[in-house]
Each structure stands twice: as C-alpha cells, then as structure tokens.
Amino acid sequence: LRLADMLLSLDQGHLFEAWAPAGTDDDSKKAFFGRVRRLNDSYPGGLEAYIRNARALLSASSANENPMKDVASVQIPIGKSLDYGSPEYDKLESLGLEEVSRTCFVLVAGGLGERLGYSGIKLSLPIDIGTMITYLELYCTCILSLQRRCSEPVKIPFVIMTSDDTHLRTVDLLKSNSNFGLADGQIVVVKQEKVAALMSNDAKMAASGPYELLTKPHGHGDVHMLLHEKGIAESWLAQGKRWVVFFQDTNGLVFRSMLACLGVSKGLGLDLNSMCIPRIAKQEVG
C-alpha cells in the first residue's frame, strides 16, 4: 500500500486504470510492485526525487530555458593543443607518466554493438582483424604496461560500469580470460540500473501493459553516482589517488594520448580535463 500511495501522490494513477478487480491477477500485481520497489531503491531520493527532477527538466525544456542557469559560473582555463611527437608533447607525456601510480581508470561499458551490426558486447569486439585482440584485452594490457613503467610496484584500480545488457557477458569475458593478466580484485565491475521511462512532459511513467513498467538506461552520468554510492571514490582518496581517467568502451586510441592529457592536467593544476581531436563536421570519427 505504501508504494501504491506513493505512486498516487506522484500523479501516476493512470498506471492502475487497467488493473483487474481486487483478488485477481495478484501475482502480476506483486511483480509490478516489486519492479516499483527496485526503481525506487536504485535512484538517490527514490521515485519522488526522480519524478521531481524530471518535471523540472522537462518544464525548462518546454520553456526553452537553461535548467542550469542558477548554477554558479565556473572559470574555464585555457588548455593545450598538442602535436604528437613534438618536444612539448613528449615533456607532458613524461609528466603524466609520473602521475600514473596515483591514477585510476573507469570504463563506461553499458552498450551492445547493435549499431555496428554486432550482437555481443562492444568490449568483445576485436580492435583489428590482424590480431583479433578485443577492446577489453587492449585496455587491460595497457594498464599492465603502465604499471610496469611506474617507479614502484602498484596495482592501478580499474572500474567497469555495465548495464543489464552487458553485465553478465562482461564478467564472463573477464573470468574466461583470467582478467587478461590483471590481479584478482584489481577490476571492480559495477552495474548501472535502469530508470522508469516517461511518456509525457508532466513525467507520466510509461507502461507496456497493465502490470509492465517500461524502463530505460539512465546515461553515462550514473558512473559518478555509483563511484560515490559504492564508496569507491572515497577509498581511492584514502589511498592517495589523485586522478581518475574516464573512457568509453570502443575508444581504442585513448591510451596513446592519455599520458599527455594527464600531464596537461598536472601542469595546469586542472580539476577536470577532457581530450578531443580535430575533425571535419559530420566526419564519423571520435
């Protein structure tokens, strides 16, 4: 009853309009509330906070307003434009290497390869047809190589965020390949939960049937929430870690320029830095 009252208080009464009379379809009704409970538990502040935030963002969008207008402005420092192999690049790469022992890596890997014509997880795609090395093996190999370059023994933390679509297959890929050489406990896999799908600007929750709620992935931003909720970020801070490198599942070139980017962050004293490459408009790269 508590969950039903909460949904009614959030103006979600439409979810019950097609329900059978009391005493019928009880198993389906219990399963429905089980899904509601999971959605409520997985979002900070519960469904009340989720619906409230959604309504505020949808209202701002409808009015063509910036929902972040009240956020304090930040000063954006001038970064660096680097040419690979230049003396400046080499210097910053060396500076970045000095910081590797204090760096952690976070891989966002919640998607399948359907857009690429591949039914499996993107981490199991080969980076080329010559070696057939998978993206996940490449990333683990790069982290192992960075560890060997450190001045003292270190196990670089590696977190992978998965989703319902990719979690089990990612865990199986790691297990069947002995973590591609990384130590037990060095890789932490956290799963991103889904959120309720909405069907209108007043944040009405969508359903595909009387007892079936529609859900959707919540986006890459969940990785920051998970690092906080699981106590991972706090643990890294206690270990003296200073940097976190975030990257996506099929960015095979990221480790080639990551050290220089880390060096720029160190040299300019940046709290946040992003790396990009020049490209022509609509060019399918990056």
Side-chain angles (χ1 to χ4, degrees):
L1 287 178
R2 182 181 64 83
L3 293 173
D5 289 340
M6 177 188 67
L7 289 174
L8 291 173
S9 71
L10 295 174
D11 196 24
Q12 305 295 332
H14 64 285
L15 295 173
F16 304 108
E17 290 176 354
W19 276 36
T24 56
D25 292 348
D26 285 350
D27 289 343
S28 296
K29 293 173 182 177
K30 289 178 182 178
F32 170 86
F33 283 117
R35 287 187 282 273
V36 172
R37 182 177 292 106
R38 288 193 293 275
L39 290 171
N40 191 56
D41 292 343
S42 64
Y43 189 86
L47 279 172
E48 291 185 29
Y50 177 66
I51 296 298
R52 182 176 64 250
N53 291 340
R55 284 176 177 155
L57 293 171
L58 289 166
S59 175
S61 176
S62 297
N64 199 28
E65 296 177 352
N66 179 7
M68 306 301 291
K69 62 183 179 181
D70 296 328
V71 176
S73 61
V74 295
Q75 181 181 358
I76 302 176
I78 297 174
K80 293 278 188 180
S81 180
L82 300 177
D83 292 321
Y84 180 78
S86 66
E88 183 182 29
Y89 184 98
D90 292 343
K91 178 181 177 181
L92 289 168
E93 189 175 53
S94 297
L95 182 60
L97 182 60
E98 295 174 5
E99 296 297 313
V100 164
S101 63
R102 294 181 287 274
T103 301
C104 311
F105 290 89
V106 177
L107 170 61
V108 178
L112 298 174
E114 294 167 331
R115 181 175 57 85
L116 305 172
Y118 181 68
S119 61
I121 59 173
K122 287 189 280 187
L123 286 178
S124 65
L125 279 166
I127 62 170
D128 57 52
I129 60 174
T131 65
M132 295 301 287
I133 291 174
T134 65
Y135 278 96
L136 187 53
E137 181 176 359
L138 172 68
Y139 299 146
C140 292
T141 300
C142 287
I143 290 173
L144 283 169
S145 179
L146 289 171
Q147 288 180 176
R148 289 193 290 268
R149 298 288 300 277
C150 292
S151 58
E152 55 188 30
V154 64
K155 294 178 182 177
I156 297 174
F158 184 23
V159 167
I160 304 174
M161 185 182 79
T162 60
S163 67
D164 283 337
D165 293 330
T166 65
H167 184 77
L168 291 178
R169 281 182 275 188
T170 301
V171 172
D172 287 344
L173 183 60
L174 288 167
K175 185 176 180 180
S176 61
N177 290 279
S178 302
N179 293 337
F180 296 105
L182 293 180
D184 290 338
Q186 186 173 353
I187 303 175
V188 176
V189 182
V190 294
K191 190 177 78 168
Q192 170 192 33
E193 299 296 337
K194 292 183 177 180
V195 294
L198 305 175
M199 64 180 185
S200 63
N201 279 344
D202 55 354
K204 298 282 189 182
M205 293 167 62
S208 59
Y211 312 110
E212 294 292 333
L213 287 172
L214 288 176
T215 58
K216 64 179 184 64
H218 196 222
H220 287 171
D222 275 3
V223 69
H224 304 288
M225 178 184 72
L226 288 170
L227 291 175
H228 171 68
E229 285 187 343
K230 303 292 185 182
I232 296 172
E234 185 177 7
S235 171
W236 287 345
L237 186 63
Q239 295 172 37
K241 304 299 182 183
R242 299 180 60 185
W243 310 99
V244 182
V245 175
F246 295 90
F247 62 106
Q248 291 182 250
D249 42 19
T250 51
N251 190 353
L253 299 177
V254 65
F255 281 91
R256 293 181 180 270
S257 48
M258 180 276 302
L259 287 178
C261 181
L262 192 57
V264 171
S265 302
K266 168 68 174 179
L268 297 181
L270 303 181
D271 293 319
L272 176 67
N273 196 6
S274 60
M275 181 169 55
C276 61
I277 61 172
R279 70 180 182 94
I280 302 170
K282 297 185 179 181
Q283 184 181 9
E284 295 180 352
V285 63

